[in-house]
């Protein structure tokens, strides 16, 4: 089923046009290399606590973006939650947010000193962009984007101190200094653009390249960073990944664990040959997964339940990492 790009189309975690496909997936238990899945935390969808993105702290806690409520929480390994920050919400609820019609907090980056950077699509020129939250401090917008943008996945290139930001509505990868300032369009073109669903979505910097998913096209792209810092031509590294949302690399390898939001599955993707296998499904507790994170032998999966009549959650599983992929 196809629906025009409009307010009926939901974010990195949302694709209501295919809600039926989520309920018709065949049941299957966790498959190697994932095992022992369990729900760590359940959230209240009615209050907007729909987890969208995640980073793991050095001490094994996770910082989580709650998208509709525009909050950031810290969650301990035991499931205890602590509010870290709340972003200011637009008075009109974000009715002018492109492709959504409501405001949404999205991507998340954490620096070594504990400072957080969160993307915000608010349909408002004074709010949309990247917000910085220093430990114990108040949120401050440091990178402004226009109301026509939908900032989503985001990653820091630690070598250069630059943030890369996926704009799901405009089909652009933006780049800006993490210290703040005016972003520049680093990469754009048809391969990044939306169709009747969101375009570029999840984003990571890995081995001298920006890797990005295009959810509408179900592909994983690798975009080398040239010596002068500009973007080389995008390389398609995997296809056939329905609404690939956010993803995480397995150690130092190029293998990727990715959230297939529409299919309600987690995939292990092998970019070397483009193959993938399904390692977690709805039977394991997924509720429309939006993002993943790996920390040692633990896999975290966030599910926002945007199209399911279910409670959003954070799920953990043991991840059996092959010896050649160990290390971070």
């Amino acid at each position: 089923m196809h629906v025009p790009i409009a307010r009926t189309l939901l974010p990195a975690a949302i694709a209501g046009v295919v809600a039926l496909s989520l309920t018709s997936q065949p049941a299957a238990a966790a498959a190697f290399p994932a095992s022992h899945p369990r729900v760590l935390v359940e959230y209240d969808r009615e209050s907007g606590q729909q987890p969208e993105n995640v980073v793991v702290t050095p001490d094994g806690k996770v910082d989580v973006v709650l998208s509709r409520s525009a909050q950031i929480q810290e969650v301990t390994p035991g499931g205890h939650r602590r509010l870290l920050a709340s972003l200011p919400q637009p008075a009109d609820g974000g009715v002018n947010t492109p492709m959504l019609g409501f405001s949404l907090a999205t991507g998340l980056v954490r620096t070594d000193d504990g400072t957080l950077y969160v993307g915000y699509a608010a349909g408002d020129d004074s709010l949309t962009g990247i917000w910085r939250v220093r430990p114990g401090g108040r949120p401050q917008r440091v990178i402004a984007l226009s109301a026509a943008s939908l900032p989503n996945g985001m990653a820091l290139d630690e070598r250069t101190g630059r943030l890369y930001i996926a704009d799901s509505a405009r089909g652009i990868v933006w780049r800006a200094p993490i210290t703040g300032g005016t972003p520049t369009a680093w990469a754009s073109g048809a391969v990044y653009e939306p169709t009747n669903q969101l375009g570029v979505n999840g984003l990571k910097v890995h081995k001298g390249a920006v890797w990005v998913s295009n959810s509408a096209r179900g592909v994983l792209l690798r975009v080398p960073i040239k010596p002068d810092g500009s973007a080389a031509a995008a390389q398609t590294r995997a296809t056939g990944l329905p609404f690939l949302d956010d993803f995480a690399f397995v150690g130092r390898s190029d293998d990727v664990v990715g959230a297939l939001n529409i299919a309600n599955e987690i995939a292990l993707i092998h970019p070397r040959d483009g193959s993938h296998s399904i390692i977690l499904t709805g039977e394991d507790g997924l509720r429309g997964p939006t993002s993943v994170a790996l920390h040692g032998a633990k896999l975290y999966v966030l599910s926002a339940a945007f199209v399911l009549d279910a409670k959003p959650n954070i799920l953990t599983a043991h991840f059996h990492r092959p010896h050649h992929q160990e290390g971070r």
Side-chain angles (χ1 to χ4, degrees):
M1 182 184 299
H2 296 277
V3 174
I5 295 175
R7 292 178 184 173
T8 53
L9 189 64
L10 303 181
I14 312 174
V17 296
V18 290
L20 291 177
S21 72
L22 282 164
T23 58
S24 61
Q25 293 298 311
F32 185 83
S35 67
H36 301 93
R38 71 180 185 91
V39 173
L40 176 65
V41 171
E42 286 189 331
Y43 285 102
D44 178 16
R45 183 173 59 177
E46 297 306 313
S47 63
Q49 293 187 332
Q50 294 168 282
E52 167 68 14
N53 216 306
V54 59
V55 294
V56 185
T57 67
D59 58 358
K61 299 172 185 175
V62 290
D63 293 338
V64 176
V65 174
L66 301 179
S67 55
R68 295 292 296 273
S69 62
Q71 296 176 326
I72 306 173
Q73 276 191 351
E74 175 191 82
V75 182
T76 69
H80 177 74
R81 290 171 275 175
R82 180 170 71 97
L83 180 65
L84 298 179
S86 296
L87 300 182
Q89 300 199 43
D92 62 4
V95 295
N96 295 314
T97 303
M99 304 177 72
L100 305 180
F102 53 84
S103 59
L104 197 83
T106 55
L108 187 65
V109 164
R110 184 184 190 275
T111 56
D112 290 341
D113 65 356
T115 299
L116 297 170
Y117 295 81
V118 59
Y120 197 26
D124 185 313
D125 286 332
S126 68
L127 295 175
T128 298
I130 309 305
W131 289 69
R132 181 176 63 206
V133 183
R134 291 195 170 104
R138 296 170 59 89
Q140 176 187 11
R141 189 174 71 155
V142 293
I143 299 170
L145 289 167
S146 78
S149 288
L150 201 167
N152 208 326
M154 181 169 57
L156 171 64
D157 185 346
E158 295 181 352
R159 301 172 306 167
T160 63
R162 291 168 172 165
L163 281 173
Y164 291 84
I165 306 150
D167 189 330
S168 296
R170 300 175 68 181
I172 296 172
V173 175
W174 299 97
R175 187 177 69 179
I178 196 168
T179 52
T182 302
T184 58
W186 183 74
S188 61
V191 72
Y192 304 97
E193 293 174 356
T195 56
N196 63 336
Q197 298 174 14
L198 299 180
V200 285
N201 193 331
L203 186 149
K204 294 289 184 290
V205 175
H206 178 72
K207 293 182 179 178
V210 173
W211 295 64
V212 62
S213 63
N214 185 319
S215 296
R217 303 173 190 274
V219 299
L220 178 65
L221 305 172
R222 177 181 183 269
V223 188
I225 303 171
K226 292 181 179 180
D228 65 359
S230 62
Q235 305 164 354
T236 300
R237 301 306 297 267
T239 62
L241 300 163
F243 208 89
L244 174 62
D245 202 321
D246 207 351
F247 55 90
F249 283 95
V250 180
R252 297 188 181 95
S253 77
D254 287 348
D255 288 346
V256 164
V257 178
L260 306 184
N261 184 271
I262 286 176
N264 200 27
E265 296 172 335
I266 298 298
L268 177 61
I269 305 164
H270 305 287
R272 183 166 63 178
D273 62 9
S275 66
H276 72 273
S277 58
I278 302 304
I279 61 174
L280 292 169
T281 72
E283 186 178 89
D284 299 305
L286 302 181
R287 298 295 182 260
T290 61
S291 60
V292 298
L294 281 164
H295 183 70
K298 183 175 284 189
L299 171 65
Y300 292 90
V301 182
L302 273 58
S303 290
F306 280 110
V307 297
L308 289 174
D309 185 16
K311 291 184 178 180
N313 66 32
I314 300 175
L315 179 146
T316 65
H318 187 80
F319 190 83
H320 305 264
R321 184 177 296 180
H323 291 301
H324 71 278
Q325 294 175 346
E326 292 180 352
R328 295 184 63 81

mmCIF file of all heavy atoms in Angstrom, residues 4-49:
data_model
loop_
_atom_site.group_PDB
_atom_site.id
_atom_site.type_symbol
_atom_site.label_atom_id
_atom_site.label_comp_id
_atom_site.label_asym_id
_atom_site.label_seq_id
_atom_site.Cartn_x
_atom_site.Cartn_y
_atom_site.Cartn_z
ATOM 1 N N PRO A 4 0.681 8.973 -0.006
ATOM 2 C CA PRO A 4 1.520 10.135 -0.318
ATOM 3 C C PRO A 4 2.242 10.637 0.920
ATOM 4 O O PRO A 4 1.770 10.469 2.037
ATOM 5 C CB PRO A 4 0.514 11.177 -0.832
ATOM 6 C CG PRO A 4 -0.679 10.390 -1.236
ATOM 7 C CD PRO A 4 -0.730 9.197 -0.332
ATOM 8 N N ILE A 5 3.397 11.295 0.710
ATOM 9 C CA ILE A 5 4.111 11.907 1.819
ATOM 10 C C ILE A 5 3.221 12.998 2.395
ATOM 11 O O ILE A 5 2.896 13.965 1.740
ATOM 12 C CB ILE A 5 5.445 12.506 1.358
ATOM 13 C CG1 ILE A 5 6.373 11.392 0.885
ATOM 14 C CG2 ILE A 5 6.093 13.311 2.463
ATOM 15 C CD1 ILE A 5 7.658 11.902 0.314
ATOM 16 N N ALA A 6 2.821 12.809 3.645
ATOM 17 C CA ALA A 6 1.907 13.740 4.290
ATOM 18 C C ALA A 6 1.943 13.482 5.775
ATOM 19 O O ALA A 6 2.767 12.737 6.272
ATOM 20 C CB ALA A 6 0.479 13.559 3.735
ATOM 21 N N ARG A 7 1.007 14.062 6.483
ATOM 22 C CA ARG A 7 0.995 13.896 7.929
ATOM 23 C C ARG A 7 0.649 12.482 8.341
ATOM 24 O O ARG A 7 0.828 12.122 9.493
ATOM 25 C CB ARG A 7 0.005 14.877 8.557
ATOM 26 C CG ARG A 7 0.473 16.316 8.406
ATOM 27 C CD ARG A 7 -0.512 17.286 8.973
ATOM 28 N NE ARG A 7 -0.082 18.660 8.731
ATOM 29 C CZ ARG A 7 -0.824 19.709 8.999
ATOM 30 N NH1 ARG A 7 -2.017 19.565 9.508
ATOM 31 N NH2 ARG A 7 -0.366 20.919 8.751
ATOM 32 N N THR A 8 0.122 11.688 7.423
ATOM 33 C CA THR A 8 -0.163 10.308 7.768
ATOM 34 C C THR A 8 1.093 9.470 7.809
ATOM 35 O O THR A 8 1.085 8.362 8.319
ATOM 36 C CB THR A 8 -1.123 9.699 6.737
ATOM 37 O OG1 THR A 8 -0.576 9.891 5.440
ATOM 38 C CG2 THR A 8 -2.479 10.336 6.824
ATOM 39 N N LEU A 9 2.185 9.987 7.301
ATOM 40 C CA LEU A 9 3.429 9.224 7.294
ATOM 41 C C LEU A 9 4.219 9.561 8.545
ATOM 42 O O LEU A 9 4.427 10.706 8.865
ATOM 43 C CB LEU A 9 4.246 9.586 6.062
ATOM 44 C CG LEU A 9 5.462 8.694 5.833
ATOM 45 C CD1 LEU A 9 5.034 7.276 5.552
ATOM 46 C CD2 LEU A 9 6.294 9.241 4.716
ATOM 47 N N LEU A 10 4.686 8.534 9.264
ATOM 48 C CA LEU A 10 5.320 8.745 10.543
ATOM 49 C C LEU A 10 6.824 8.593 10.447
ATOM 50 O O LEU A 10 7.359 8.287 9.409
ATOM 51 C CB LEU A 10 4.714 7.767 11.562
ATOM 52 C CG LEU A 10 3.203 7.885 11.690
ATOM 53 C CD1 LEU A 10 2.676 6.921 12.732
ATOM 54 C CD2 LEU A 10 2.772 9.273 12.039
ATOM 55 N N PRO A 11 7.574 8.825 11.589
ATOM 56 C CA PRO A 11 8.999 9.035 11.505
ATOM 57 C C PRO A 11 9.827 7.793 11.389
ATOM 58 O O PRO A 11 9.358 6.733 11.109
ATOM 59 C CB PRO A 11 9.304 9.739 12.819
ATOM 60 C CG PRO A 11 8.306 9.214 13.736
ATOM 61 C CD PRO A 11 7.091 8.942 12.929
ATOM 62 N N ALA A 12 11.164 8.010 11.677
ATOM 63 C CA ALA A 12 12.150 6.945 11.589
ATOM 64 C C ALA A 12 11.586 5.689 12.174
ATOM 65 O O ALA A 12 11.978 4.604 11.819
ATOM 66 C CB ALA A 12 13.389 7.346 12.372
ATOM 67 N N ALA A 13 10.760 5.786 13.075
ATOM 68 C CA ALA A 13 10.206 4.608 13.696
ATOM 69 C C ALA A 13 8.832 4.301 13.186
ATOM 70 O O ALA A 13 8.181 3.437 13.704
ATOM 71 C CB ALA A 13 10.141 4.838 15.171
ATOM 72 N N ILE A 14 8.303 5.022 12.219
ATOM 73 C CA ILE A 14 6.884 4.906 11.930
ATOM 74 C C ILE A 14 6.642 4.648 10.459
ATOM 75 O O ILE A 14 7.233 5.260 9.632
ATOM 76 C CB ILE A 14 6.154 6.199 12.314
ATOM 77 C CG1 ILE A 14 6.550 6.628 13.701
ATOM 78 C CG2 ILE A 14 4.683 6.072 12.211
ATOM 79 C CD1 ILE A 14 6.012 7.955 14.107
ATOM 80 N N ALA A 15 5.720 3.763 10.153
ATOM 81 C CA ALA A 15 5.272 3.564 8.785
ATOM 82 C C ALA A 15 3.886 2.960 8.832
ATOM 83 O O ALA A 15 3.690 1.779 8.610
ATOM 84 C CB ALA A 15 6.230 2.671 8.025
ATOM 85 N N GLY A 16 2.873 3.770 9.120
ATOM 86 C CA GLY A 16 1.530 3.278 9.303
ATOM 87 C C GLY A 16 0.937 2.656 8.069
ATOM 88 O O GLY A 16 -0.024 1.889 8.150
ATOM 89 N N VAL A 17 1.497 2.960 6.907
ATOM 90 C CA VAL A 17 0.973 2.405 5.675
ATOM 91 C C VAL A 17 1.116 0.900 5.630
ATOM 92 O O VAL A 17 0.502 0.239 4.805
ATOM 93 C CB VAL A 17 1.704 3.011 4.462
ATOM 94 C CG1 VAL A 17 1.426 4.490 4.375
ATOM 95 C CG2 VAL A 17 3.194 2.763 4.529
ATOM 96 N N VAL A 18 1.921 0.339 6.501
ATOM 97 C CA VAL A 18 2.139 -1.108 6.461
ATOM 98 C C VAL A 18 1.878 -1.744 7.814
ATOM 99 O O VAL A 18 2.471 -2.754 8.161
ATOM 100 C CB VAL A 18 3.565 -1.437 6.004
ATOM 101 C CG1 VAL A 18 3.755 -1.107 4.549
ATOM 102 C CG2 VAL A 18 4.583 -0.711 6.848
ATOM 103 N N ALA A 19 0.968 -1.184 8.588
ATOM 104 C CA ALA A 19 0.705 -1.735 9.910
ATOM 105 C C ALA A 19 0.308 -3.198 9.839
ATOM 106 O O ALA A 19 0.653 -3.997 10.706
ATOM 107 C CB ALA A 19 -0.407 -0.935 10.591
ATOM 108 N N LEU A 20 -0.422 -3.572 8.804
ATOM 109 C CA LEU A 20 -0.846 -4.952 8.702
ATOM 110 C C LEU A 20 0.328 -5.901 8.563
ATOM 111 O O LEU A 20 0.297 -7.036 9.046
ATOM 112 C CB LEU A 20 -1.804 -5.129 7.513
ATOM 113 C CG LEU A 20 -3.167 -4.465 7.692
ATOM 114 C CD1 LEU A 20 -3.990 -4.642 6.421
ATOM 115 C CD2 LEU A 20 -3.906 -5.042 8.881
ATOM 116 N N SER A 21 1.384 -5.461 7.906
ATOM 117 C CA SER A 21 2.522 -6.348 7.719
ATOM 118 C C SER A 21 3.197 -6.686 9.026
ATOM 119 O O SER A 21 3.820 -7.718 9.180
ATOM 120 C CB SER A 21 3.540 -5.724 6.755
ATOM 121 O OG SER A 21 4.212 -4.651 7.370
ATOM 122 N N LEU A 22 3.069 -5.776 10.026
ATOM 123 C CA LEU A 22 3.678 -6.034 11.312
ATOM 124 C C LEU A 22 2.980 -7.168 12.036
ATOM 125 O O LEU A 22 3.602 -7.936 12.756
ATOM 126 C CB LEU A 22 3.612 -4.770 12.172
ATOM 127 C CG LEU A 22 4.633 -3.684 11.862
ATOM 128 C CD1 LEU A 22 4.198 -2.383 12.502
ATOM 129 C CD2 LEU A 22 6.007 -4.080 12.335
ATOM 130 N N THR A 23 1.676 -7.275 11.868
ATOM 131 C CA THR A 23 0.928 -8.297 12.578
ATOM 132 C C THR A 23 0.883 -9.619 11.838
ATOM 133 O O THR A 23 0.465 -10.618 12.381
ATOM 134 C CB THR A 23 -0.510 -7.813 12.818
ATOM 135 O OG1 THR A 23 -1.118 -7.518 11.548
ATOM 136 C CG2 THR A 23 -0.521 -6.571 13.673
ATOM 137 N N SER A 24 1.357 -9.645 10.596
ATOM 138 C CA SER A 24 1.274 -10.870 9.818
ATOM 139 C C SER A 24 2.608 -11.566 9.652
ATOM 140 O O SER A 24 2.733 -12.510 8.902
ATOM 141 C CB SER A 24 0.704 -10.558 8.422
ATOM 142 O OG SER A 24 1.556 -9.664 7.732
ATOM 143 N N GLN A 25 3.648 -11.078 10.380
ATOM 144 C CA GLN A 25 4.948 -11.701 10.256
ATOM 145 C C GLN A 25 4.933 -13.079 10.905
ATOM 146 O O GLN A 25 4.350 -13.278 11.965
ATOM 147 C CB GLN A 25 6.021 -10.836 10.925
ATOM 148 C CG GLN A 25 6.250 -9.519 10.227
ATOM 149 C CD GLN A 25 6.751 -9.691 8.814
ATOM 150 O OE1 GLN A 25 7.685 -10.439 8.581
ATOM 151 N NE2 GLN A 25 6.114 -9.041 7.882
ATOM 152 N N PRO A 26 5.585 -14.081 10.307
ATOM 153 C CA PRO A 26 5.642 -15.394 10.925
ATOM 154 C C PRO A 26 6.438 -15.340 12.214
ATOM 155 O O PRO A 26 7.415 -14.612 12.338
ATOM 156 C CB PRO A 26 6.364 -16.245 9.867
ATOM 157 C CG PRO A 26 7.138 -15.264 9.050
ATOM 158 C CD PRO A 26 6.302 -14.027 9.025
ATOM 159 N N ALA A 27 6.001 -16.110 13.203
ATOM 160 C CA ALA A 27 6.692 -16.137 14.475
ATOM 161 C C ALA A 27 8.000 -16.895 14.348
ATOM 162 O O ALA A 27 8.109 -17.881 13.628
ATOM 163 C CB ALA A 27 5.801 -16.804 15.532
ATOM 164 N N ALA A 28 9.004 -16.421 15.060
ATOM 165 C CA ALA A 28 10.290 -17.105 15.086
ATOM 166 C C ALA A 28 11.035 -16.665 16.321
ATOM 167 O O ALA A 28 10.955 -15.516 16.734
ATOM 168 C CB ALA A 28 11.113 -16.789 13.832
ATOM 169 N N ALA A 29 11.740 -17.597 16.948
ATOM 170 C CA ALA A 29 12.494 -17.266 18.144
ATOM 171 C C ALA A 29 13.809 -16.613 17.763
ATOM 172 O O ALA A 29 14.202 -16.592 16.597
ATOM 173 C CB ALA A 29 12.733 -18.534 18.954
ATOM 174 N N ALA A 30 14.497 -16.067 18.773
ATOM 175 C CA ALA A 30 15.800 -15.460 18.549
ATOM 176 C C ALA A 30 16.728 -16.448 17.865
ATOM 177 O O ALA A 30 16.731 -17.639 18.160
ATOM 178 C CB ALA A 30 16.398 -15.012 19.883
ATOM 179 N N ALA A 31 17.504 -15.928 16.919
ATOM 180 C CA ALA A 31 18.410 -16.776 16.144
ATOM 181 C C ALA A 31 19.839 -16.288 16.313
ATOM 182 O O ALA A 31 20.075 -15.101 16.552
ATOM 183 C CB ALA A 31 18.015 -16.765 14.662
ATOM 184 N N PHE A 32 20.780 -17.201 16.185
ATOM 185 C CA PHE A 32 22.194 -16.862 16.315
ATOM 186 C C PHE A 32 22.518 -15.687 15.397
ATOM 187 O O PHE A 32 22.060 -15.654 14.263
ATOM 188 C CB PHE A 32 23.049 -18.072 15.937
ATOM 189 C CG PHE A 32 24.517 -17.862 16.161
ATOM 190 C CD1 PHE A 32 25.076 -18.050 17.410
ATOM 191 C CD2 PHE A 32 25.337 -17.444 15.118
ATOM 192 C CE1 PHE A 32 26.431 -17.840 17.618
ATOM 193 C CE2 PHE A 32 26.693 -17.225 15.325
ATOM 194 C CZ PHE A 32 27.245 -17.429 16.577
ATOM 195 N N PRO A 33 23.275 -14.699 15.887
ATOM 196 C CA PRO A 33 24.048 -14.666 17.128
ATOM 197 C C PRO A 33 23.343 -14.040 18.324
ATOM 198 O O PRO A 33 23.996 -13.715 19.312
ATOM 199 C CB PRO A 33 25.259 -13.825 16.722
ATOM 200 C CG PRO A 33 24.697 -12.835 15.778
ATOM 201 C CD PRO A 33 23.643 -13.576 14.994
ATOM 202 N N ALA A 34 22.020 -13.842 18.283
ATOM 203 C CA ALA A 34 21.286 -13.284 19.412
ATOM 204 C C ALA A 34 20.644 -14.395 20.225
ATOM 205 O O ALA A 34 20.195 -15.407 19.661
ATOM 206 C CB ALA A 34 20.213 -12.312 18.923
ATOM 207 N N SER A 35 20.591 -14.215 21.546
ATOM 208 C CA SER A 35 19.941 -15.206 22.401
ATOM 209 C C SER A 35 19.468 -14.531 23.680
ATOM 210 O O SER A 35 19.871 -13.412 24.002
ATOM 211 C CB SER A 35 20.893 -16.358 22.730
ATOM 212 O OG SER A 35 21.962 -15.911 23.554
ATOM 213 N N HIS A 36 18.592 -15.214 24.407
ATOM 214 C CA HIS A 36 18.095 -14.775 25.708
ATOM 215 C C HIS A 36 17.542 -13.344 25.692
ATOM 216 O O HIS A 36 17.923 -12.500 26.515
ATOM 217 C CB HIS A 36 19.200 -14.884 26.768
ATOM 218 C CG HIS A 36 19.746 -16.273 26.937
ATOM 219 N ND1 HIS A 36 20.858 -16.716 26.241
ATOM 220 C CD2 HIS A 36 19.317 -17.296 27.697
ATOM 221 C CE1 HIS A 36 21.110 -17.974 26.580
ATOM 222 N NE2 HIS A 36 20.181 -18.357 27.460
ATOM 223 N N PRO A 37 16.626 -13.056 24.780
ATOM 224 C CA PRO A 37 16.019 -11.721 24.791
ATOM 225 C C PRO A 37 15.096 -11.534 25.982
ATOM 226 O O PRO A 37 14.423 -12.468 26.424
ATOM 227 C CB PRO A 37 15.240 -11.688 23.472
ATOM 228 C CG PRO A 37 14.900 -13.126 23.217
ATOM 229 C CD PRO A 37 16.063 -13.923 23.723
ATOM 230 N N ARG A 38 15.080 -10.322 26.510
ATOM 231 C CA ARG A 38 14.135 -9.994 27.589
ATOM 232 C C ARG A 38 13.834 -8.500 27.539
ATOM 233 O O ARG A 38 14.655 -7.700 27.085
ATOM 234 C CB ARG A 38 14.690 -10.367 28.964
ATOM 235 C CG ARG A 38 15.832 -9.500 29.444
ATOM 236 C CD ARG A 38 16.325 -9.937 30.820
ATOM 237 N NE ARG A 38 17.349 -9.042 31.356
ATOM 238 C CZ ARG A 38 17.086 -7.989 32.121
ATOM 239 N NH1 ARG A 38 15.831 -7.698 32.428
ATOM 240 N NH2 ARG A 38 18.058 -7.221 32.573
ATOM 241 N N VAL A 39 12.651 -8.143 28.002
ATOM 242 C CA VAL A 39 12.245 -6.744 28.041
ATOM 243 C C VAL A 39 12.794 -6.123 29.309
ATOM 244 O O VAL A 39 12.510 -6.576 30.420
ATOM 245 C CB VAL A 39 10.715 -6.608 27.974
ATOM 246 C CG1 VAL A 39 10.300 -5.155 28.181
ATOM 247 C CG2 VAL A 39 10.194 -7.120 26.633
ATOM 248 N N LEU A 40 13.602 -5.075 29.149
ATOM 249 C CA LEU A 40 14.194 -4.373 30.284
ATOM 250 C C LEU A 40 13.249 -3.320 30.847
ATOM 251 O O LEU A 40 13.099 -3.183 32.066
ATOM 252 C CB LEU A 40 15.512 -3.716 29.849
ATOM 253 C CG LEU A 40 16.231 -2.855 30.881
ATOM 254 C CD1 LEU A 40 16.704 -3.702 32.053
ATOM 255 C CD2 LEU A 40 17.403 -2.107 30.233
ATOM 256 N N VAL A 41 12.594 -2.554 29.944
ATOM 257 C CA VAL A 41 11.731 -1.443 30.345
ATOM 258 C C VAL A 41 10.537 -1.397 29.407
ATOM 259 O O VAL A 41 10.685 -1.605 28.196
ATOM 260 C CB VAL A 41 12.491 -0.096 30.266
ATOM 261 C CG1 VAL A 41 11.546 1.076 30.461
ATOM 262 C CG2 VAL A 41 13.601 -0.042 31.304
ATOM 263 N N GLU A 42 9.362 -1.132 29.952
ATOM 264 C CA GLU A 42 8.189 -0.814 29.141
ATOM 265 C C GLU A 42 7.805 0.638 29.381
ATOM 266 O O GLU A 42 7.939 1.150 30.495
ATOM 267 C CB GLU A 42 7.012 -1.738 29.481
ATOM 268 C CG GLU A 42 7.165 -3.144 28.961
ATOM 269 C CD GLU A 42 5.895 -3.958 29.130
ATOM 270 O OE1 GLU A 42 5.130 -3.674 30.095
ATOM 271 O OE2 GLU A 42 5.655 -4.866 28.320
ATOM 272 N N TYR A 43 7.309 1.271 28.308
ATOM 273 C CA TYR A 43 6.966 2.688 28.371
ATOM 274 C C TYR A 43 5.477 2.905 28.135
ATOM 275 O O TYR A 43 4.756 2.015 27.669
ATOM 276 C CB TYR A 43 7.760 3.471 27.325
ATOM 277 C CG TYR A 43 9.210 3.692 27.687
ATOM 278 C CD1 TYR A 43 10.214 2.919 27.121
ATOM 279 C CD2 TYR A 43 9.569 4.683 28.594
ATOM 280 C CE1 TYR A 43 11.549 3.134 27.440
ATOM 281 C CE2 TYR A 43 10.897 4.906 28.930
ATOM 282 C CZ TYR A 43 11.875 4.127 28.342
ATOM 283 O OH TYR A 43 13.187 4.334 28.682
ATOM 284 N N ASP A 44 5.040 4.126 28.432
ATOM 285 C CA ASP A 44 3.655 4.541 28.255
ATOM 286 C C ASP A 44 3.523 5.311 26.937
ATOM 287 O O ASP A 44 3.951 6.467 26.857
ATOM 288 C CB ASP A 44 3.219 5.409 29.436
ATOM 289 C CG ASP A 44 1.800 5.929 29.290
ATOM 290 O OD1 ASP A 44 1.045 5.386 28.449
ATOM 291 O OD2 ASP A 44 1.449 6.889 30.003
ATOM 292 N N ARG A 45 2.941 4.679 25.954
ATOM 293 C CA ARG A 45 2.811 5.322 24.647
ATOM 294 C C ARG A 45 1.913 6.546 24.693
ATOM 295 O O ARG A 45 2.152 7.533 23.988
ATOM 296 C CB ARG A 45 2.272 4.313 23.627
ATOM 297 C CG ARG A 45 2.171 4.865 22.214
ATOM 298 C CD ARG A 45 1.805 3.793 21.222
ATOM 299 N NE ARG A 45 0.527 3.160 21.531
ATOM 300 C CZ ARG A 45 -0.041 2.229 20.773
ATOM 301 N NH1 ARG A 45 0.571 1.815 19.689
ATOM 302 N NH2 ARG A 45 -1.200 1.706 21.107
ATOM 303 N N GLU A 46 0.886 6.520 25.528
ATOM 304 C CA GLU A 46 -0.078 7.620 25.572
ATOM 305 C C GLU A 46 0.571 8.925 26.036
ATOM 306 O O GLU A 46 0.107 10.009 25.685
ATOM 307 C CB GLU A 46 -1.249 7.256 26.484
ATOM 308 C CG GLU A 46 -2.067 6.061 26.008
ATOM 309 C CD GLU A 46 -2.554 6.226 24.582
ATOM 310 O OE1 GLU A 46 -3.075 7.316 24.255
ATOM 311 O OE2 GLU A 46 -2.411 5.276 23.789
ATOM 312 N N SER A 47 1.646 8.836 26.798
ATOM 313 C CA SER A 47 2.327 10.046 27.261
ATOM 314 C C SER A 47 3.496 10.417 26.353
ATOM 315 O O SER A 47 4.287 11.302 26.694
ATOM 316 C CB SER A 47 2.817 9.859 28.700
ATOM 317 O OG SER A 47 3.769 8.810 28.775
ATOM 318 N N GLY A 48 3.592 9.765 25.208
ATOM 319 C CA GLY A 48 4.623 10.092 24.239
ATOM 320 C C GLY A 48 5.971 9.474 24.524
ATOM 321 O O GLY A 48 6.969 9.841 23.894
ATOM 322 N N GLN A 49 6.034 8.525 25.455
ATOM 323 C CA GLN A 49 7.309 7.898 25.800
ATOM 324 C C GLN A 49 7.594 6.752 24.822
ATOM 325 O O GLN A 49 7.476 5.571 25.151
ATOM 326 C CB GLN A 49 7.279 7.402 27.237
ATOM 327 C CG GLN A 49 7.206 8.530 28.250
ATOM 328 C CD GLN A 49 7.339 8.020 29.667
ATOM 329 O OE1 GLN A 49 6.998 6.897 29.991
ATOM 330 N NE2 GLN A 49 7.838 8.873 30.548
#
